[in-house]
Amino acid sequence: MAAIDIPEVLKFIDSTPPFSGLTSVQQKQLLGGVELTYVRQGEKLNLEGTRATLHLIRRGACEIRSAKGGLVDKLADGDCFGVSSVLEQNPDGLQVVVLEDSLIYRFQKEGFQTLLQENEEFALFFAHTRSSRLRKLSRAHATDLATPVLQLSTSISQIMARNLITASVTDTVQQAASVMTDARVSSILVLEKDRLVGIVTDRDLRSRVLAVGASANLPLCDVMTHAPASIDPRSLVMHAQTLMSEKNIHHLPVVESDHTPVGMITAADLLRHQELSPLLLINQINRQTDITSLREVCQQLTNLIVNLILTDMKTTDIGSVIAAISDSLTRRIIELGIERYGTAPFAFQFLVFGSQARKDQSLGSDQDNGMMLSQEPTPEQAEYFAKLAQFICDGLAQCGIRSCPGDIMASNKKWRLTQEGWKKAFANWVEASSPSSLLNASIFFDIRCVYGDENGVTELIQDMQSRVAKTSLFLATLTRTATASKPPIGFFRNFLLESSGEHKHQLDLKHQGLALINDLARIYGLGCKRYHVATKDRLEQAAREKLMGLDIARNLMDAWDGLNELRLQAQRQHWQTTGEPSAYLDPTELSSLERKHLKSTFAIIADGQSAALQRFARGYA
C-alpha cells in the first residue's frame, strides 16, 4: 500500500466524473481513509468483506469478467469498479482482473454510501454504471454468435513480443541480417540513444538492398523506414489492427511516449489471436482477383460487425474498423476496375462522403462517393471514367454496401468533377444557401479521400473552409435549417414517438438523435480554422478554438456515444431477428433509469442546438 498525497488525489478526482460534481466538502468526506494500492498485471482483486467497496483506477487497466470468465467490461484511468459489491453484494459474481500494472484508489465503504444518499446525481451515475454492466453481462451470456477468440478489446501488451531485436543506425545491413537470422525474426528495430528512429524488415532487405544490387556494408540508416508507425502499449488489439490496415504494414513497434520501444506486434501475431478479425478480412479482400470472390469474402462483414458490437468495443472504434474495411474494399475494387479497363488516362482521387467519411458507418450503411479528376477529360477519357465508376459502385453494391437512394455516387456524372469543378460546386452551395444547397452541405461537407493523392482534396477542403469563413449568412442559414429538427422530447419530458406506420410508438435513434449531433458538429467544424471530419473530433476542435463551451462539447460527445451504442445494439437485435438493420427503439424496452438517461441525452442535444443558434444564427431571420 502506497502513501497517500491527499492534494494529488483531490486534483485527480476533481477532473474525473462523477467526483468532479461533488462539493469540496463532499470530496474531502469521500477521501477519509482512502488507500492507494499497487497491483500487478494478472492479479485478481478480492472484493469481499472489507474489500467490497468502490475502487478508482488512477493509472492502469483492468477488466471485469463474469463468474464463468466472460468479458463484461474494460476499464482504464478514471474508471471505477466495485459498484456491484457496494450496491448489491455482487450477486452475479463479477471478477476484476488486472491487465497491466496499476495504481488504484480504494475508498471507505461507509463514506461512499453516505454520499450516495446525500447526492442524487452522484447516486444516479453509479446506478447507471451498474445497470450498464448488467446489460453487458446479459449480452455476454446470450451471445452464441460471438466467438471466444474474438478479443479485439484485449490490450496489445498481452500479445506483443517483449524480447526486442534491435540495432543502431550505424550497424550495417550485413550485421542486421545476421542478427535477424539468428533470432528468427522478420524485422529489426533501429535505435538511436535508446529511442526508436527506424525499422528494417525482410521486405526492405529484398527491395532496397538485394533487388538494386546495393552493398551489404551500407549503414541501416540508408535502407531503414524512418520514423515508422508505432503504437502505445496501452492500446487495444483493435487499434493495432486498424493502424496496420490503414498503413498497409505487417510490423508495428510498441513504444512509450518518449519513443522507447517496449514491444513488437506483427500481422502474424494478430492473425493467431483472431479467428474473425478486421485484419484477416482486409487481408482476404486484398488477395481477391474478381468481384465474385470479393462478394463471398464480404459475406463475413455482417458477422464481424455484430461481433464487434457484442464485445462492447467503443462506438468510435467500431466505426473506425468498419471504415478501414470499407476503404480497403473500395481500393481493391478500384484496382480490379483498372485491371479491366486499363490504366487511367490521368490521375484521379476517389472521394467518400457522409458516414464513411466520418468513420461512423454501421450495419446497412449505403454509398456516398464521387471522383475528382486531375484535368478536364476528352469524350473518350470521360467514357473511361464512366465505365470505371460504374464498375466501382456496382462492385460495392454486390459486396454489401448498398447503392445510394439519392444517387450520390461516382457512377453519376454529376459527381465526377475536376478539382476546379468541385471548388465551384462548393462555392455555389456556400453562396446560394438554398434548401438544396444546405442538403448538399450536410452530405458533401463530410469528405475524405480513400484513393489517390490526398493533396488535391486537402486543397479543396481549405478552399471550402475559406469560403465558409467569409460567408456568415451560410453558417447562419445552415444552423437554422439543421436545428429545425428537434430531439423527440415533449414539453412534459415525454418521448415523442412515431404515431403510425411500421415503427409506431418507437424512436428513430439515427435521424432523431445521432444525425442532430452530427449536424451540430458539422456547423461548428465548418466554423473552425482546422478541418476535421469525424463528429467527436469536430466537437473537440470547436472547444479547443473556443467556439463552443468545454462542458457543452463533452456533453454532446457523451450523448453521441450513448446514442450510438443504443443504435448499434438496436441494429444488432433487429438484424439477428429480421435481417434488417433498423435503428428504431421501443423505449418501453429500457429500464426506468435508462429512459431517464435517454431523456437527459435529448435535453443535451436541445441545449446544444440553442447554443449553436446563439453563436451562428443570432440576428438572421
Side-chain angles (χ1 to χ4, degrees):
M1 189 182 303
I4 292 288
D5 182 350
I6 294 298
E8 174 62 25
V9 186
L10 279 171
K11 181 180 178 182
F12 180 68
I13 68 172
D14 196 44
S15 62
T16 305
F19 309 101
S20 53
L22 298 174
T23 66
S24 58
V25 173
Q26 290 173 326
Q27 288 178 346
K28 291 177 181 177
Q29 174 186 336
L30 178 68
L31 296 186
V34 65
E35 299 174 355
L36 178 63
T37 303
Y38 173 75
V39 289
R40 293 188 176 277
Q41 178 183 351
E43 285 189 41
K44 292 184 179 180
L45 299 183
N46 180 1
L47 299 183
E48 298 178 353
T50 58
R51 301 295 184 184
T53 187
L54 182 71
H55 295 67
L56 171 65
I57 300 176
R58 177 64 180 86
R59 182 176 296 117
C62 303
E63 61 187 12
I64 298 177
R65 292 194 168 272
S66 68
K68 294 183 178 180
L71 180 65
V72 175
D73 209 353
K74 288 277 188 177
L75 309 177
D77 299 6
D79 289 332
C80 295
F81 61 86
V83 180
S84 175
S85 299
V86 175
L87 298 181
E88 303 176 34
Q89 289 75 53
N90 192 18
D92 306 297
L94 299 179
Q95 307 172 49
V96 177
V97 180
V98 181
L99 293 180
E100 60 184 54
D101 292 357
S102 302
L103 289 172
I104 298 174
Y105 293 128
R106 184 167 56 235
F107 302 103
Q108 290 292 315
K109 182 176 181 179
E110 293 75 14
F112 174 58
Q113 289 177 316
T114 300
L115 281 179
L116 290 177
Q117 297 172 358
E118 293 180 354
N119 191 308
E120 182 180 357
E121 289 187 5
F122 188 71
L124 183 62
F125 177 91
F126 287 106
H128 177 69
T129 298
R130 168 65 174 149
S131 176
S132 174
R133 286 180 185 157
L134 283 177
R135 191 167 65 248
K136 293 174 181 179
L137 177 64
S138 176
R139 287 200 297 269
H141 286 164
T143 57
D144 295 331
L145 182 62
T147 62
V149 292
L150 183 68
Q151 299 194 16
L152 296 172
S153 52
T154 299
S155 169
I156 61 171
S157 62
Q158 291 189 279
I159 67 169
M160 69 184 186
R162 298 176 184 272
N163 184 25
L164 299 181
I165 307 303
T166 65
S168 72
V169 290
T170 56
D171 286 343
T172 66
V173 169
Q174 174 68 47
Q175 291 171 323
S178 177
V179 171
M180 291 167 64
T181 300
D182 291 342
R184 297 184 178 182
V185 296
S186 56
S187 66
I188 191 166
L189 300 179
V190 185
L191 308 185
E192 189 170 40
K193 296 180 180 178
D194 296 325
R195 302 292 186 268
L196 179 70
V197 294
I199 187 172
V200 175
T201 67
D202 281 343
R203 181 186 297 179
D204 295 330
L205 295 177
R206 291 194 304 270
S207 62
R208 298 176 184 177
V209 181
L210 294 176
V212 298
S215 170
N217 292 321
L218 283 175
L220 290 182
C221 60
D222 287 355
V223 300
M224 70 184 187
T225 297
H226 292 263
S230 60
I231 195 167
D232 185 278
R234 285 159 286 279
S235 300
L236 306 180
V237 166
M238 190 286 306
H239 298 138
Q241 289 192 342
T242 301
L243 181 59
M244 293 173 75
S245 299
E246 290 177 347
K247 301 291 185 181
N248 192 27
I249 56 178
H250 296 83
H251 301 81
L252 185 62
V254 183
V255 302
E256 294 288 359
S257 58
D258 62 355
H259 296 289
T260 302
V262 294
M264 170 65 83
I265 293 286
T266 68
D269 295 330
L270 295 178
L271 291 176
R272 280 194 298 269
H273 184 70
Q274 300 296 325
E275 185 176 275
L276 176 63
S277 75
L279 184 63
L280 179 59
L281 182 55
I282 289 172
N283 285 339
Q284 290 177 329
I285 285 171
N286 290 334
R287 290 199 301 269
Q288 303 313 306
T289 57
D290 54 50
I291 298 297
T292 299
S293 59
L294 266 180
R295 182 174 64 245
E296 293 175 359
V297 168
C298 288
Q299 290 176 356
Q300 304 174 54
L301 182 56
T302 299
N303 280 355
L304 173 61
I305 295 173
V306 170
N307 271 292
L308 296 178
I309 298 170
L310 290 170
T311 58
D312 280 307
M313 182 185 293
K314 291 181 180 178
T315 54
T316 48
D317 291 339
I318 292 176
S320 295
V321 168
I322 300 173
I325 295 170
S326 298
D327 292 354
S328 296
L329 174 62
T330 302
R331 285 190 286 267
R332 185 60 188 139
I333 292 176
I334 292 173
E335 292 166 354
L336 293 176
I338 291 174
E339 289 178 13
R340 169 174 289 196
Y341 298 111
T343 303
F346 47 78
F348 70 96
Q349 289 84 34
F350 197 83
L351 315 176
V352 294
F353 309 103
S355 61
Q356 186 174 351
R358 294 191 305 268
K359 297 187 177 181
D360 60 16
Q361 288 174 288
S362 60
L363 285 167
S365 292
D366 59 10
Q367 299 179 46
D368 287 307
N369 52 52
M371 277 186 179
M372 189 164 79
L373 310 179
S374 61
Q375 64 186 59
E376 198 67 49
T378 64
E380 183 179 351
Q381 292 168 338
E383 179 64 20
Y384 170 89
F385 284 109
K387 290 180 179 178
L388 179 63
Q390 191 67 54
F391 179 87
I392 296 167
C393 295
D394 287 347
L396 288 170
Q398 291 180 55
C399 291
I401 303 181
R402 297 181 297 113
S403 297
C404 173
D407 204 19
I408 299 176
M409 298 185 293
S411 54
N412 184 340
K413 183 180 179 180
K414 287 175 61 179
W415 312 125
R416 296 194 302 273
L417 303 171
T418 63
Q419 184 191 64
E420 192 59 34
W422 280 108
K423 285 182 178 180
K424 288 180 179 178
F426 277 84
N428 290 336
W429 296 331
V430 171
E431 292 165 9
S433 296
S434 63
S436 61
S437 299
L438 298 173
L439 177 60
N440 285 328
S442 68
I443 299 171
F444 292 98
F445 283 42
D446 301 347
I447 178 174
R448 193 163 54 83
C449 176
V450 298
Y451 182 89
D453 186 354
E454 295 183 8
N455 290 332
V457 182
T458 301
E459 292 174 7
L460 172 64
I461 291 170
Q462 291 172 343
D463 183 78
M464 177 261 290
Q465 290 280 96
S466 175
R467 292 181 186 277
V468 170
K470 297 174 184 176
T471 314
S472 57
L473 177 60
F474 172 75
L475 274 184
T477 309
L478 183 64
T479 303
R480 294 185 69 85
T481 302
T483 57
S485 297
K486 302 297 182 184
I489 198 79
F491 183 77
F492 294 104
R493 292 182 62 77
N494 294 318
F495 290 121
L496 300 179
L497 308 176
E498 296 289 320
S499 58
S500 61
E502 178 186 358
H503 301 292
K504 186 176 181 180
H505 303 319
Q506 294 182 338
L507 291 168
D508 183 350
L509 295 173
K510 178 179 178 180
H511 296 101
Q512 293 179 300
L514 283 167
L516 303 185
I517 302 178
N518 290 337
D519 289 344
L520 284 173
R522 184 180 304 109
I523 293 165
Y524 280 96
L526 292 173
C528 287
K529 296 176 182 177
R530 183 177 179 185
Y531 179 84
H532 288 280
V533 67
T535 291
K536 291 178 69 175
D537 291 344
R538 284 171 163 171
L539 294 172
E540 286 183 0
Q541 186 65 25
R544 196 174 294 119
E545 295 188 21
K546 302 193 183 305
L547 293 181
M548 172 186 284
L550 184 59
D551 285 346
I552 294 178
R554 286 176 173 171
N555 286 341
L556 285 172
M557 286 189 282
D558 287 343
W560 190 89
D561 282 335
L563 285 172
N564 215 357
E565 181 181 350
L566 282 176
R567 175 187 67 155
L568 288 170
Q569 291 298 341
Q571 286 186 326
R572 174 191 63 83
Q573 292 171 357
H574 283 292
W575 186 277
Q576 290 180 308
T577 55
T578 69
E580 294 294 328
S582 172
Y584 283 84
L585 173 73
D586 183 349
T588 60
E589 296 177 357
L590 302 176
S591 68
S592 59
L593 182 63
E594 289 171 324
R595 288 195 296 272
K596 184 175 181 179
H597 185 72
L598 184 56
K599 290 175 182 178
S600 298
T601 296
F602 288 140
I604 286 170
I605 298 175
D607 290 342
Q609 290 181 332
S610 297
L613 284 168
Q614 284 296 311
R615 171 163 287 277
F616 297 109
R618 188 167 51 188
Y620 290 94

